[in-house]
Amino acid sequence: GNSVTQMEGPVTLSEEAFLTINCTYTATGYPSLFWYVQYPGEGLQLLLKATKADDKGSNKGFEATYRKETTSFHLEKGSVQVSDSAVYFCALSEDSGAGSYQLTFGKGTKLSVIP
Amino acid sequence: DADVTQTPRNRITKTGKRIMLECSQTKGHDRMYWYRQDPGLGLRLIYYSFDVKDINKGEISDGYSVSRQAQAKFSLSLESAIPNQTALYFCATSDLRQGSTDTQYFGPGTRLTVL
């Protein structure tokens, strides 16, 4: 079955530091890849996505590139802010049959950014 | 107004009680989902529905049931709550027409505590 593995947290960074959160996946076919973010006390929000190899998703200064050869979708940001403190989830979506797409989530990585 | 709403937002109940969590959406999406979130485990799919007449079990459906009363409403029931069902529950929706991208939109969550 499909699975997503992301780096364990928590991750604590100083403001303006560079962020990388690693994500690798296992899938039987050719999935779409996502990063979701969960701010404290809120539900998950889509941060960015990529649907094919070498696509780069980007949003709010975050980027991730779909690497089929390494089955990876690492999240990066050049300069984090305190407001980026949240839990980040990597996920994939693949057709499990008859157009039935389901998301498979990683366990989440908690990021804390300190001033 | 929020596109995906959940009621109640917080609930404390006792072992053996029947509990219903409700989800409503104004996005006009066909697909609706129920997840639970536990610390360190990420999100796990309980049930999903692709339309009013299509209900499917997810990864962890035991102890839960659902009802899709209308396109916009999807309820999750715990017939006899037990303490290990204490968790954060999320409803999500997605648009059938999106196909493989299957971007899901999440509600704010319901924090359920079973004593």
PDB file of all heavy atoms in Angstrom, chain A residues 32 34 36 38 41 43-44 46 49 51 89 93 99-103 105-107, chain B residues 9 31 35 37 40 42-43 45 48 50 90 99-104 106-108:
ATOM      1  N   SER A  32      -0.256  12.184  -6.980  1.00  0.00           N
ATOM      2  CA  SER A  32      -0.111  13.616  -6.756  1.00  0.00           C
ATOM      3  C   SER A  32       0.399  13.802  -5.328  1.00  0.00           C
ATOM      4  O   SER A  32       0.081  13.003  -4.443  1.00  0.00           O
ATOM      5  CB  SER A  32      -1.450  14.334  -6.914  1.00  0.00           C
ATOM      6  OG  SER A  32      -1.908  14.226  -8.242  1.00  0.00           O
ATOM      7  N   PHE A  34       1.270  16.489  -1.940  1.00  0.00           N
ATOM      8  CA  PHE A  34       0.743  17.670  -1.268  1.00  0.00           C
ATOM      9  C   PHE A  34       1.532  17.965   0.003  1.00  0.00           C
ATOM     10  O   PHE A  34       2.071  17.056   0.637  1.00  0.00           O
ATOM     11  CB  PHE A  34      -0.710  17.450  -0.834  1.00  0.00           C
ATOM     12  CG  PHE A  34      -1.649  17.032  -1.925  1.00  0.00           C
ATOM     13  CD1 PHE A  34      -1.703  15.719  -2.355  1.00  0.00           C
ATOM     14  CD2 PHE A  34      -2.494  17.958  -2.512  1.00  0.00           C
ATOM     15  CE1 PHE A  34      -2.571  15.324  -3.350  1.00  0.00           C
ATOM     16  CE2 PHE A  34      -3.372  17.576  -3.514  1.00  0.00           C
ATOM     17  CZ  PHE A  34      -3.412  16.262  -3.927  1.00  0.00           C
ATOM     18  N   TYR A  36       0.259  19.955   3.478  1.00  0.00           N
ATOM     19  CA  TYR A  36      -0.775  20.653   4.221  1.00  0.00           C
ATOM     20  C   TYR A  36      -0.153  21.263   5.474  1.00  0.00           C
ATOM     21  O   TYR A  36       0.808  20.726   6.032  1.00  0.00           O
ATOM     22  CB  TYR A  36      -1.887  19.694   4.644  1.00  0.00           C
ATOM     23  CG  TYR A  36      -2.897  19.379   3.564  1.00  0.00           C
ATOM     24  CD1 TYR A  36      -2.647  18.395   2.612  1.00  0.00           C
ATOM     25  CD2 TYR A  36      -4.109  20.058   3.510  1.00  0.00           C
ATOM     26  CE1 TYR A  36      -3.572  18.102   1.625  1.00  0.00           C
ATOM     27  CE2 TYR A  36      -5.041  19.776   2.529  1.00  0.00           C
ATOM     28  CZ  TYR A  36      -4.769  18.796   1.599  1.00  0.00           C
ATOM     29  OH  TYR A  36      -5.697  18.517   0.629  1.00  0.00           O
ATOM     30  N   GLN A  38      -1.135  22.904   9.410  1.00  0.00           N
ATOM     31  CA  GLN A  38      -2.143  23.025  10.467  1.00  0.00           C
ATOM     32  C   GLN A  38      -1.634  24.007  11.503  1.00  0.00           C
ATOM     33  O   GLN A  38      -0.710  23.719  12.264  1.00  0.00           O
ATOM     34  CB  GLN A  38      -2.400  21.671  11.119  1.00  0.00           C
ATOM     35  CG  GLN A  38      -3.482  21.706  12.188  1.00  0.00           C
ATOM     36  CD  GLN A  38      -3.701  20.348  12.830  1.00  0.00           C
ATOM     37  OE1 GLN A  38      -2.790  19.511  12.886  1.00  0.00           O
ATOM     38  NE2 GLN A  38      -4.901  20.104  13.309  1.00  0.00           N
ATOM     39  N   GLY A  41      -4.838  25.122  16.749  1.00  0.00           N
ATOM     40  CA  GLY A  41      -6.275  25.242  16.958  1.00  0.00           C
ATOM     41  C   GLY A  41      -7.106  25.261  15.695  1.00  0.00           C
ATOM     42  O   GLY A  41      -8.312  25.532  15.752  1.00  0.00           O
ATOM     43  N   GLY A  43      -7.965  23.612  11.507  1.00  0.00           N
ATOM     44  CA  GLY A  43      -7.913  22.451  10.627  1.00  0.00           C
ATOM     45  C   GLY A  43      -6.749  22.551   9.650  1.00  0.00           C
ATOM     46  O   GLY A  43      -5.970  23.500   9.682  1.00  0.00           O
ATOM     47  N   LEU A  44      -6.627  21.563   8.795  1.00  0.00           N
ATOM     48  CA  LEU A  44      -5.540  21.549   7.816  1.00  0.00           C
ATOM     49  C   LEU A  44      -5.883  22.427   6.623  1.00  0.00           C
ATOM     50  O   LEU A  44      -7.023  22.475   6.176  1.00  0.00           O
ATOM     51  CB  LEU A  44      -5.281  20.127   7.314  1.00  0.00           C
ATOM     52  CG  LEU A  44      -4.439  19.224   8.201  1.00  0.00           C
ATOM     53  CD1 LEU A  44      -5.171  18.825   9.462  1.00  0.00           C
ATOM     54  CD2 LEU A  44      -3.989  17.990   7.425  1.00  0.00           C
ATOM     55  N   LEU A  46      -4.409  23.392   2.628  1.00  0.00           N
ATOM     56  CA  LEU A  46      -3.467  23.055   1.575  1.00  0.00           C
ATOM     57  C   LEU A  46      -2.417  24.153   1.461  1.00  0.00           C
ATOM     58  O   LEU A  46      -2.741  25.333   1.338  1.00  0.00           O
ATOM     59  CB  LEU A  46      -4.186  22.902   0.243  1.00  0.00           C
ATOM     60  CG  LEU A  46      -3.284  22.594  -0.940  1.00  0.00           C
ATOM     61  CD1 LEU A  46      -2.672  21.211  -0.794  1.00  0.00           C
ATOM     62  CD2 LEU A  46      -4.052  22.702  -2.254  1.00  0.00           C
ATOM     63  N   LYS A  49       1.002  21.899  -3.862  1.00  0.00           N
ATOM     64  CA  LYS A  49       0.852  20.569  -4.424  1.00  0.00           C
ATOM     65  C   LYS A  49       1.616  20.468  -5.743  1.00  0.00           C
ATOM     66  O   LYS A  49       1.958  21.488  -6.361  1.00  0.00           O
ATOM     67  CB  LYS A  49      -0.615  20.225  -4.646  1.00  0.00           C
ATOM     68  CG  LYS A  49      -1.304  21.084  -5.681  1.00  0.00           C
ATOM     69  CD  LYS A  49      -2.782  20.713  -5.797  1.00  0.00           C
ATOM     70  CE  LYS A  49      -3.484  21.578  -6.829  1.00  0.00           C
ATOM     71  NZ  LYS A  49      -4.953  21.305  -6.900  1.00  0.00           N
ATOM     72  N   THR A  51       1.665  17.617  -9.280  1.00  0.00           N
ATOM     73  CA  THR A  51       0.964  16.470  -9.845  1.00  0.00           C
ATOM     74  C   THR A  51       1.822  15.604 -10.764  1.00  0.00           C
ATOM     75  O   THR A  51       1.395  14.508 -11.132  1.00  0.00           O
ATOM     76  CB  THR A  51      -0.280  16.920 -10.619  1.00  0.00           C
ATOM     77  OG1 THR A  51       0.143  17.812 -11.653  1.00  0.00           O
ATOM     78  CG2 THR A  51      -1.251  17.627  -9.700  1.00  0.00           C
ATOM     79  N   PHE A  89       2.136  18.598   7.193  1.00  0.00           N
ATOM     80  CA  PHE A  89       1.850  17.227   6.787  1.00  0.00           C
ATOM     81  C   PHE A  89       2.135  17.059   5.302  1.00  0.00           C
ATOM     82  O   PHE A  89       1.620  17.816   4.471  1.00  0.00           O
ATOM     83  CB  PHE A  89       0.373  16.881   7.024  1.00  0.00           C
ATOM     84  CG  PHE A  89      -0.023  16.815   8.466  1.00  0.00           C
ATOM     85  CD1 PHE A  89      -0.513  17.939   9.113  1.00  0.00           C
ATOM     86  CD2 PHE A  89       0.080  15.631   9.173  1.00  0.00           C
ATOM     87  CE1 PHE A  89      -0.894  17.884  10.446  1.00  0.00           C
ATOM     88  CE2 PHE A  89      -0.296  15.562  10.505  1.00  0.00           C
ATOM     89  CZ  PHE A  89      -0.781  16.694  11.137  1.00  0.00           C
ATOM     90  N   SER A  93      -1.886  11.415  -3.089  1.00  0.00           N
ATOM     91  CA  SER A  93      -3.199  10.990  -3.568  1.00  0.00           C
ATOM     92  C   SER A  93      -2.994  10.138  -4.805  1.00  0.00           C
ATOM     93  O   SER A  93      -2.281  10.535  -5.724  1.00  0.00           O
ATOM     94  CB  SER A  93      -4.049  12.205  -3.909  1.00  0.00           C
ATOM     95  OG  SER A  93      -5.258  11.814  -4.525  1.00  0.00           O
ATOM     96  N   GLY A  99     -11.581   5.575 -10.093  1.00  0.00           N
ATOM     97  CA  GLY A  99     -11.604   7.007  -9.805  1.00  0.00           C
ATOM     98  C   GLY A  99     -11.690   7.324  -8.332  1.00  0.00           C
ATOM     99  O   GLY A  99     -12.103   8.430  -7.950  1.00  0.00           O
ATOM    100  N   SER A 100     -11.322   6.407  -7.492  1.00  0.00           N
ATOM    101  CA  SER A 100     -11.389   6.607  -6.045  1.00  0.00           C
ATOM    102  C   SER A 100     -10.047   7.100  -5.547  1.00  0.00           C
ATOM    103  O   SER A 100      -9.124   6.318  -5.316  1.00  0.00           O
ATOM    104  CB  SER A 100     -11.765   5.290  -5.358  1.00  0.00           C
ATOM    105  OG  SER A 100     -11.664   5.408  -3.960  1.00  0.00           O
ATOM    106  N   TYR A 101      -9.926   8.408  -5.389  1.00  0.00           N
ATOM    107  CA  TYR A 101      -8.672   8.987  -4.911  1.00  0.00           C
ATOM    108  C   TYR A 101      -8.750   9.227  -3.413  1.00  0.00           C
ATOM    109  O   TYR A 101      -9.705   9.810  -2.929  1.00  0.00           O
ATOM    110  CB  TYR A 101      -8.400  10.309  -5.630  1.00  0.00           C
ATOM    111  CG  TYR A 101      -8.181  10.127  -7.106  1.00  0.00           C
ATOM    112  CD1 TYR A 101      -9.214  10.275  -8.012  1.00  0.00           C
ATOM    113  CD2 TYR A 101      -6.924   9.790  -7.598  1.00  0.00           C
ATOM    114  CE1 TYR A 101      -9.019  10.102  -9.364  1.00  0.00           C
ATOM    115  CE2 TYR A 101      -6.717   9.616  -8.955  1.00  0.00           C
ATOM    116  CZ  TYR A 101      -7.770   9.777  -9.837  1.00  0.00           C
ATOM    117  OH  TYR A 101      -7.568   9.601 -11.168  1.00  0.00           O
ATOM    118  N   GLN A 102      -7.742   8.795  -2.702  1.00  0.00           N
ATOM    119  CA  GLN A 102      -7.701   9.021  -1.265  1.00  0.00           C
ATOM    120  C   GLN A 102      -6.347   9.583  -0.891  1.00  0.00           C
ATOM    121  O   GLN A 102      -5.332   9.267  -1.496  1.00  0.00           O
ATOM    122  CB  GLN A 102      -7.911   7.715  -0.512  1.00  0.00           C
ATOM    123  CG  GLN A 102      -9.278   7.090  -0.730  1.00  0.00           C
ATOM    124  CD  GLN A 102      -9.409   5.801   0.038  1.00  0.00           C
ATOM    125  OE1 GLN A 102      -8.878   5.667   1.137  1.00  0.00           O
ATOM    126  NE2 GLN A 102     -10.118   4.851  -0.531  1.00  0.00           N
ATOM    127  N   LEU A 103      -6.360  10.434   0.131  1.00  0.00           N
ATOM    128  CA  LEU A 103      -5.123  10.997   0.641  1.00  0.00           C
ATOM    129  C   LEU A 103      -4.502  10.065   1.680  1.00  0.00           C
ATOM    130  O   LEU A 103      -5.200   9.575   2.561  1.00  0.00           O
ATOM    131  CB  LEU A 103      -5.381  12.351   1.287  1.00  0.00           C
ATOM    132  CG  LEU A 103      -5.528  13.555   0.375  1.00  0.00           C
ATOM    133  CD1 LEU A 103      -5.878  14.789   1.194  1.00  0.00           C
ATOM    134  CD2 LEU A 103      -4.248  13.797  -0.398  1.00  0.00           C
ATOM    135  N   PHE A 105      -1.558  10.377   4.515  1.00  0.00           N
ATOM    136  CA  PHE A 105      -0.789  11.414   5.198  1.00  0.00           C
ATOM    137  C   PHE A 105       0.433  10.854   5.900  1.00  0.00           C
ATOM    138  O   PHE A 105       0.417   9.722   6.407  1.00  0.00           O
ATOM    139  CB  PHE A 105      -1.651  12.096   6.262  1.00  0.00           C
ATOM    140  CG  PHE A 105      -2.709  13.014   5.721  1.00  0.00           C
ATOM    141  CD1 PHE A 105      -3.976  12.547   5.427  1.00  0.00           C
ATOM    142  CD2 PHE A 105      -2.426  14.356   5.506  1.00  0.00           C
ATOM    143  CE1 PHE A 105      -4.953  13.399   4.933  1.00  0.00           C
ATOM    144  CE2 PHE A 105      -3.391  15.221   5.022  1.00  0.00           C
ATOM    145  CZ  PHE A 105      -4.651  14.732   4.730  1.00  0.00           C
ATOM    146  N   GLY A 106       1.480  11.673   5.975  1.00  0.00           N
ATOM    147  CA  GLY A 106       2.556  11.412   6.907  1.00  0.00           C
ATOM    148  C   GLY A 106       2.102  11.782   8.316  1.00  0.00           C
ATOM    149  O   GLY A 106       0.999  12.273   8.514  1.00  0.00           O
ATOM    150  N   LYS A 107       2.975  11.557   9.289  1.00  0.00           N
ATOM    151  CA  LYS A 107       2.584  11.757  10.681  1.00  0.00           C
ATOM    152  C   LYS A 107       2.670  13.211  11.129  1.00  0.00           C
ATOM    153  O   LYS A 107       2.237  13.539  12.236  1.00  0.00           O
ATOM    154  CB  LYS A 107       3.446  10.876  11.592  1.00  0.00           C
ATOM    155  CG  LYS A 107       3.198   9.393  11.360  1.00  0.00           C
ATOM    156  CD  LYS A 107       4.018   8.536  12.304  1.00  0.00           C
ATOM    157  CE  LYS A 107       3.705   7.060  12.071  1.00  0.00           C
ATOM    158  NZ  LYS A 107       4.479   6.178  12.981  1.00  0.00           N
TER     159      LYS A 107
ATOM    160  N   ARG B   9     -17.622  21.816  18.490  1.00  0.00           N
ATOM    161  CA  ARG B   9     -16.186  22.006  18.395  1.00  0.00           C
ATOM    162  C   ARG B   9     -15.454  21.259  19.508  1.00  0.00           C
ATOM    163  O   ARG B   9     -14.323  20.811  19.319  1.00  0.00           O
ATOM    164  CB  ARG B   9     -15.834  23.492  18.476  1.00  0.00           C
ATOM    165  CG  ARG B   9     -16.328  24.310  17.291  1.00  0.00           C
ATOM    166  CD  ARG B   9     -15.622  23.922  15.982  1.00  0.00           C
ATOM    167  NE  ARG B   9     -14.196  23.830  16.115  1.00  0.00           N
ATOM    168  CZ  ARG B   9     -13.376  24.865  16.047  1.00  0.00           C
ATOM    169  NH1 ARG B   9     -13.864  26.080  15.823  1.00  0.00           N
ATOM    170  NH2 ARG B   9     -12.068  24.696  16.188  1.00  0.00           N
ATOM    171  N   ARG B  31     -17.629  14.913  -2.610  1.00  0.00           N
ATOM    172  CA  ARG B  31     -16.947  13.971  -1.738  1.00  0.00           C
ATOM    173  C   ARG B  31     -16.767  14.554  -0.341  1.00  0.00           C
ATOM    174  O   ARG B  31     -16.404  15.715  -0.175  1.00  0.00           O
ATOM    175  CB  ARG B  31     -15.578  13.621  -2.327  1.00  0.00           C
ATOM    176  CG  ARG B  31     -15.693  13.006  -3.708  1.00  0.00           C
ATOM    177  CD  ARG B  31     -14.353  12.648  -4.291  1.00  0.00           C
ATOM    178  NE  ARG B  31     -14.529  11.910  -5.535  1.00  0.00           N
ATOM    179  CZ  ARG B  31     -13.543  11.329  -6.200  1.00  0.00           C
ATOM    180  NH1 ARG B  31     -12.308  11.387  -5.727  1.00  0.00           N
ATOM    181  NH2 ARG B  31     -13.768  10.681  -7.317  1.00  0.00           N
ATOM    182  N   TYR B  35     -11.869  12.029   9.318  1.00  0.00           N
ATOM    183  CA  TYR B  35     -10.565  11.597   9.791  1.00  0.00           C
ATOM    184  C   TYR B  35     -10.502  11.766  11.304  1.00  0.00           C
ATOM    185  O   TYR B  35     -11.191  12.600  11.877  1.00  0.00           O
ATOM    186  CB  TYR B  35      -9.452  12.490   9.224  1.00  0.00           C
ATOM    187  CG  TYR B  35      -9.219  12.420   7.746  1.00  0.00           C
ATOM    188  CD1 TYR B  35      -9.909  13.262   6.869  1.00  0.00           C
ATOM    189  CD2 TYR B  35      -8.280  11.545   7.212  1.00  0.00           C
ATOM    190  CE1 TYR B  35      -9.674  13.211   5.507  1.00  0.00           C
ATOM    191  CE2 TYR B  35      -8.035  11.497   5.843  1.00  0.00           C
ATOM    192  CZ  TYR B  35      -8.737  12.343   5.006  1.00  0.00           C
ATOM    193  OH  TYR B  35      -8.485  12.297   3.649  1.00  0.00           O
ATOM    194  N   GLN B  37      -7.358  12.495  14.223  1.00  0.00           N
ATOM    195  CA  GLN B  37      -5.959  12.851  14.405  1.00  0.00           C
ATOM    196  C   GLN B  37      -5.543  12.545  15.824  1.00  0.00           C
ATOM    197  O   GLN B  37      -6.177  12.990  16.778  1.00  0.00           O
ATOM    198  CB  GLN B  37      -5.734  14.345  14.106  1.00  0.00           C
ATOM    199  CG  GLN B  37      -4.281  14.764  14.204  1.00  0.00           C
ATOM    200  CD  GLN B  37      -4.095  16.254  13.944  1.00  0.00           C
ATOM    201  OE1 GLN B  37      -5.000  17.060  14.121  1.00  0.00           O
ATOM    202  NE2 GLN B  37      -2.911  16.631  13.501  1.00  0.00           N
ATOM    203  N   GLY B  40       1.292  12.175  17.024  1.00  0.00           N
ATOM    204  CA  GLY B  40       2.313  11.259  16.535  1.00  0.00           C
ATOM    205  C   GLY B  40       1.835  10.263  15.494  1.00  0.00           C
ATOM    206  O   GLY B  40       2.643   9.479  14.981  1.00  0.00           O
ATOM    207  N   GLY B  42      -0.532  11.287  12.896  1.00  0.00           N
ATOM    208  CA  GLY B  42      -1.056  11.964  11.720  1.00  0.00           C
ATOM    209  C   GLY B  42      -2.559  11.806  11.623  1.00  0.00           C
ATOM    210  O   GLY B  42      -3.256  11.626  12.624  1.00  0.00           O
ATOM    211  N   LEU B  43      -3.078  11.869  10.419  1.00  0.00           N
ATOM    212  CA  LEU B  43      -4.511  11.726  10.176  1.00  0.00           C
ATOM    213  C   LEU B  43      -4.797  10.348   9.600  1.00  0.00           C
ATOM    214  O   LEU B  43      -4.102   9.890   8.697  1.00  0.00           O
ATOM    215  CB  LEU B  43      -5.004  12.780   9.183  1.00  0.00           C
ATOM    216  CG  LEU B  43      -5.391  14.116   9.785  1.00  0.00           C
ATOM    217  CD1 LEU B  43      -4.162  14.910  10.127  1.00  0.00           C
ATOM    218  CD2 LEU B  43      -6.285  14.883   8.829  1.00  0.00           C
ATOM    219  N   LEU B  45      -8.013   7.899   8.031  1.00  0.00           N
ATOM    220  CA  LEU B  45      -9.327   7.985   7.423  1.00  0.00           C
ATOM    221  C   LEU B  45     -10.282   7.005   8.082  1.00  0.00           C
ATOM    222  O   LEU B  45      -9.993   5.807   8.188  1.00  0.00           O
ATOM    223  CB  LEU B  45      -9.208   7.693   5.918  1.00  0.00           C
ATOM    224  CG  LEU B  45     -10.457   7.796   5.079  1.00  0.00           C
ATOM    225  CD1 LEU B  45     -10.992   9.227   5.078  1.00  0.00           C
ATOM    226  CD2 LEU B  45     -10.152   7.337   3.658  1.00  0.00           C
ATOM    227  N   TYR B  48     -15.480   7.579   4.148  1.00  0.00           N
ATOM    228  CA  TYR B  48     -15.603   8.579   3.109  1.00  0.00           C
ATOM    229  C   TYR B  48     -16.824   8.291   2.261  1.00  0.00           C
ATOM    230  O   TYR B  48     -17.309   7.152   2.197  1.00  0.00           O
ATOM    231  CB  TYR B  48     -14.326   8.677   2.264  1.00  0.00           C
ATOM    232  CG  TYR B  48     -13.932   7.419   1.520  1.00  0.00           C
ATOM    233  CD1 TYR B  48     -14.185   7.291   0.160  1.00  0.00           C
ATOM    234  CD2 TYR B  48     -13.261   6.393   2.175  1.00  0.00           C
ATOM    235  CE1 TYR B  48     -13.788   6.147  -0.527  1.00  0.00           C
ATOM    236  CE2 TYR B  48     -12.869   5.251   1.501  1.00  0.00           C
ATOM    237  CZ  TYR B  48     -13.134   5.132   0.148  1.00  0.00           C
ATOM    238  OH  TYR B  48     -12.742   4.001  -0.529  1.00  0.00           O
ATOM    239  N   PHE B  50     -18.577   9.391  -1.616  1.00  0.00           N
ATOM    240  CA  PHE B  50     -18.405  10.078  -2.888  1.00  0.00           C
ATOM    241  C   PHE B  50     -19.696  10.692  -3.397  1.00  0.00           C
ATOM    242  O   PHE B  50     -19.688  11.487  -4.325  1.00  0.00           O
ATOM    243  CB  PHE B  50     -17.796   9.142  -3.922  1.00  0.00           C
ATOM    244  CG  PHE B  50     -16.336   8.882  -3.698  1.00  0.00           C
ATOM    245  CD1 PHE B  50     -15.675   7.899  -4.404  1.00  0.00           C
ATOM    246  CD2 PHE B  50     -15.610   9.622  -2.781  1.00  0.00           C
ATOM    247  CE1 PHE B  50     -14.324   7.663  -4.209  1.00  0.00           C
ATOM    248  CE2 PHE B  50     -14.261   9.397  -2.575  1.00  0.00           C
ATOM    249  CZ  PHE B  50     -13.617   8.410  -3.296  1.00  0.00           C
ATOM    250  N   PHE B  90     -11.693  15.417  12.181  1.00  0.00           N
ATOM    251  CA  PHE B  90     -11.814  16.379  11.093  1.00  0.00           C
ATOM    252  C   PHE B  90     -12.716  15.842   9.993  1.00  0.00           C
ATOM    253  O   PHE B  90     -12.633  14.679   9.610  1.00  0.00           O
ATOM    254  CB  PHE B  90     -10.440  16.674  10.476  1.00  0.00           C
ATOM    255  CG  PHE B  90      -9.557  17.520  11.340  1.00  0.00           C
ATOM    256  CD1 PHE B  90      -8.508  16.958  12.055  1.00  0.00           C
ATOM    257  CD2 PHE B  90      -9.776  18.880  11.443  1.00  0.00           C
ATOM    258  CE1 PHE B  90      -7.699  17.745  12.856  1.00  0.00           C
ATOM    259  CE2 PHE B  90      -8.959  19.679  12.243  1.00  0.00           C
ATOM    260  CZ  PHE B  90      -7.927  19.104  12.957  1.00  0.00           C
ATOM    261  N   GLY B  99     -10.384  15.048  -9.877  1.00  0.00           N
ATOM    262  CA  GLY B  99      -9.673  13.831 -10.198  1.00  0.00           C
ATOM    263  C   GLY B  99      -8.472  13.597  -9.321  1.00  0.00           C
ATOM    264  O   GLY B  99      -8.566  13.655  -8.102  1.00  0.00           O
ATOM    265  N   SER B 100      -7.328  13.381  -9.945  1.00  0.00           N
ATOM    266  CA  SER B 100      -6.170  12.934  -9.181  1.00  0.00           C
ATOM    267  C   SER B 100      -5.611  14.000  -8.258  1.00  0.00           C
ATOM    268  O   SER B 100      -4.900  13.686  -7.319  1.00  0.00           O
ATOM    269  CB  SER B 100      -5.068  12.469 -10.122  1.00  0.00           C
ATOM    270  OG  SER B 100      -4.617  13.557 -10.903  1.00  0.00           O
ATOM    271  N   THR B 101      -5.897  15.247  -8.508  1.00  0.00           N
ATOM    272  CA  THR B 101      -5.338  16.255  -7.604  1.00  0.00           C
ATOM    273  C   THR B 101      -6.042  16.202  -6.253  1.00  0.00           C
ATOM    274  O   THR B 101      -5.426  16.507  -5.245  1.00  0.00           O
ATOM    275  CB  THR B 101      -5.462  17.669  -8.180  1.00  0.00           C
ATOM    276  OG1 THR B 101      -6.831  17.991  -8.376  1.00  0.00           O
ATOM    277  CG2 THR B 101      -4.729  17.767  -9.500  1.00  0.00           C
ATOM    278  N   ASP B 102      -7.321  15.874  -6.250  1.00  0.00           N
ATOM    279  CA  ASP B 102      -8.073  15.580  -5.034  1.00  0.00           C
ATOM    280  C   ASP B 102      -7.692  16.470  -3.853  1.00  0.00           C
ATOM    281  O   ASP B 102      -7.446  16.006  -2.758  1.00  0.00           O
ATOM    282  CB  ASP B 102      -7.865  14.113  -4.633  1.00  0.00           C
ATOM    283  CG  ASP B 102      -8.941  13.652  -3.657  1.00  0.00           C
ATOM    284  OD1 ASP B 102     -10.053  14.199  -3.720  1.00  0.00           O
ATOM    285  OD2 ASP B 102      -8.664  12.778  -2.828  1.00  0.00           O
ATOM    286  N   THR B 103      -7.636  17.771  -4.082  1.00  0.00           N
ATOM    287  CA  THR B 103      -7.367  18.683  -2.983  1.00  0.00           C
ATOM    288  C   THR B 103      -8.525  18.616  -2.006  1.00  0.00           C
ATOM    289  O   THR B 103      -9.682  18.767  -2.396  1.00  0.00           O
ATOM    290  CB  THR B 103      -7.216  20.118  -3.501  1.00  0.00           C
ATOM    291  OG1 THR B 103      -6.131  20.150  -4.423  1.00  0.00           O
ATOM    292  CG2 THR B 103      -6.946  21.071  -2.349  1.00  0.00           C
ATOM    293  N   GLN B 104      -8.228  18.379  -0.758  1.00  0.00           N
ATOM    294  CA  GLN B 104      -9.264  18.293   0.253  1.00  0.00           C
ATOM    295  C   GLN B 104      -9.272  19.548   1.117  1.00  0.00           C
ATOM    296  O   GLN B 104      -8.222  20.110   1.428  1.00  0.00           O
ATOM    297  CB  GLN B 104      -9.058  17.044   1.117  1.00  0.00           C
ATOM    298  CG  GLN B 104      -9.272  15.771   0.316  1.00  0.00           C
ATOM    299  CD  GLN B 104      -9.261  14.513   1.166  1.00  0.00           C
ATOM    300  OE1 GLN B 104      -9.368  14.567   2.388  1.00  0.00           O
ATOM    301  NE2 GLN B 104      -9.129  13.379   0.507  1.00  0.00           N
ATOM    302  N   PHE B 106     -10.562  21.150   4.699  1.00  0.00           N
ATOM    303  CA  PHE B 106     -10.851  20.644   6.032  1.00  0.00           C
ATOM    304  C   PHE B 106     -11.671  21.615   6.878  1.00  0.00           C
ATOM    305  O   PHE B 106     -11.519  22.837   6.764  1.00  0.00           O
ATOM    306  CB  PHE B 106      -9.540  20.346   6.769  1.00  0.00           C
ATOM    307  CG  PHE B 106      -8.858  19.105   6.277  1.00  0.00           C
ATOM    308  CD1 PHE B 106      -8.120  19.118   5.104  1.00  0.00           C
ATOM    309  CD2 PHE B 106      -8.975  17.919   6.982  1.00  0.00           C
ATOM    310  CE1 PHE B 106      -7.508  17.967   4.634  1.00  0.00           C
ATOM    311  CE2 PHE B 106      -8.352  16.763   6.535  1.00  0.00           C
ATOM    312  CZ  PHE B 106      -7.618  16.785   5.354  1.00  0.00           C
ATOM    313  N   GLY B 107     -12.505  21.027   7.728  1.00  0.00           N
ATOM    314  CA  GLY B 107     -13.177  21.796   8.743  1.00  0.00           C
ATOM    315  C   GLY B 107     -12.248  22.106   9.901  1.00  0.00           C
ATOM    316  O   GLY B 107     -11.098  21.650   9.919  1.00  0.00           O
ATOM    317  N   PRO B 108     -12.727  22.833  10.907  1.00  0.00           N
ATOM    318  CA  PRO B 108     -11.880  23.265  12.020  1.00  0.00           C
ATOM    319  C   PRO B 108     -11.616  22.188  13.047  1.00  0.00           C
ATOM    320  O   PRO B 108     -10.765  22.361  13.908  1.00  0.00           O
ATOM    321  CB  PRO B 108     -12.672  24.420  12.634  1.00  0.00           C
ATOM    322  CG  PRO B 108     -14.095  24.084  12.324  1.00  0.00           C
ATOM    323  CD  PRO B 108     -14.077  23.426  10.979  1.00  0.00           C
TER     324      PRO B 108
END
